[in-house]
Amino acid sequence: AQSVAQPEDQVNVAEGNPLTVKCTYSVSGNPYLFWYVQYPNRGLQFLLKYITGDNLVKGSYGFEAEFNKSQTSFHLKKPSALVSDSALYFCAVRVPGKRQLTFGSGTQLTVLP
Amino acid sequence: GAVVSQHPSWVICKSGTSVKIECRSLDFQATTMFWYRQFPKQSLMLMATSNEGSKATYEQGVEKDKFLINHASLTLSTLTVTSAHPEDSSFYICSAGVNLRSSFSSYNSPLHFGNGTRLTVT
């Protein structure tokens, strides 16, 4: 069975500092990996995905994520955090051939001014 | 880009009544839609997969008679919470993918989400 783990419930970072939100996965086969962001009382917005190719994926709003097959990780990163980046972030995985996404438990990111 | 519209954004109802939530794909055809439930500060729990023109597929532990799903067209899926109780209060989110049923290559496409419906049962 596929699963996704986000080991940190909460991440705090000062504005202007780099941020990292961690994600590890467990699947059989090659995964499709996604990051989504959720603002209060809203649905999820797609940030970026890894399918194949370069391990460093660039997405929306200056976010990027690095796929590491040996560590089965797909950490979300941003070089310089903004207060407006404060939100709930979800990592998700889809196994090829399956339609649904499996989500991690979410990480609340707070960027302090 | 692909837009999913979910309505209503919030609803308050009395215990024992039924509530219908609509999920529409505005600029694409969605043969498959997904219904999720989210509790405060928790992840999304997949409730069911809605397939246009056929019966929905429910996840284990989800009562299909309580959470009725209808996907009568390529752009609309509805979730009806029947005989709602306070424990059904939650945030319900729908999502849709483009051609997920017919195109293997589209499995790498992201899902597009509605803005969710906050259901409160009193």
Side-chain angles (χ1 to χ4, degrees):
Chain A
Q2 60 199 58
S3 65
V4 179
Q6 292 180 243
E8 301 159 316
D9 292 335
Q10 176 82 40
V11 170
N12 296 328
V13 63
E15 187 175 27
N17 284 0
L19 69 87
T20 299
V21 182
K22 297 179 180 177
C23 171
T24 59
Y25 64 91
S26 175
V27 301
S28 55
N30 294 320
Y32 296 157
L33 295 159
F34 303 81
W35 274 102
Y36 287 84
V37 60
Q38 184 182 31
Y39 295 97
N41 294 310
R42 301 294 294 274
L44 275 64
Q45 296 178 31
F46 169 72
L47 281 179
L48 51 78
K49 66 180 179 181
Y50 172 82
I51 305 302
T52 186
D54 289 340
N55 290 342
L56 185 63
V57 178
K58 294 189 182 296
S60 306
Y61 312 118
F63 283 94
E64 57 189 28
E66 185 169 12
F67 172 66
N68 188 317
K69 188 172 184 178
S70 63
Q71 297 184 5
T72 61
S73 68
F74 189 56
H75 300 332
L76 180 70
K77 299 181 180 182
K78 186 172 182 180
S80 179
L82 301 172
V83 174
S84 57
D85 292 330
S86 299
L88 188 57
Y89 290 81
F90 289 100
C91 181
V93 64
R94 178 190 286 146
V95 175
K98 298 292 185 181
R99 296 175 297 175
Q100 65 268 32
L101 289 177
T102 298
F103 287 87
S105 55
T107 298
Q108 180 65 48
L109 171 68
T110 300
V111 180
L112 305 170
Chain B
V3 177
V4 174
S5 174
Q6 188 172 340
H7 178 80
S9 56
W10 61 270
V11 58
I12 301 173
C13 70
K14 291 185 177 180
S15 185
T17 61
S18 295
V19 174
K20 180 185 284 187
I21 303 170
E22 294 187 346
C23 181
R24 294 179 184 273
S25 57
L26 297 185
D27 51 0
F28 67 100
Q29 293 182 337
T31 52
T32 303
M33 292 186 176
F34 302 95
W35 287 95
Y36 291 88
R37 183 173 180 177
Q38 185 181 30
F39 292 99
K41 297 186 179 180
Q42 293 190 27
S43 188
L44 282 74
M45 180 190 76
L46 179 65
M47 298 175 64
T49 301
S50 171
N51 304 298
E52 185 270 333
S54 63
K55 291 182 178 180
T57 304
Y58 289 82
E59 296 299 305
Q60 190 173 8
V62 179
E63 300 176 60
K64 60 181 181 181
D65 293 331
K66 181 168 186 63
F67 298 100
L68 299 179
I69 291 174
N70 184 281
H71 195 155
S73 77
L74 287 171
T75 60
L76 174 64
S77 175
T78 61
L79 168 68
T80 300
V81 183
T82 62
S83 187
H85 290 284
E87 57 265 30
D88 298 325
S89 298
S90 189
F91 193 57
Y92 294 86
I93 308 176
C94 72
S95 68
V98 179
N99 293 329
L100 280 178
R101 189 167 71 184
S102 62
S103 172
F104 181 84
S105 63
S106 68
Y107 288 153
N108 60 14
S109 299
L111 291 182
H112 305 282
F113 287 81
N115 279 332
T117 297
R118 173 73 59 191
L119 171 63
T120 302
V121 184
T122 61

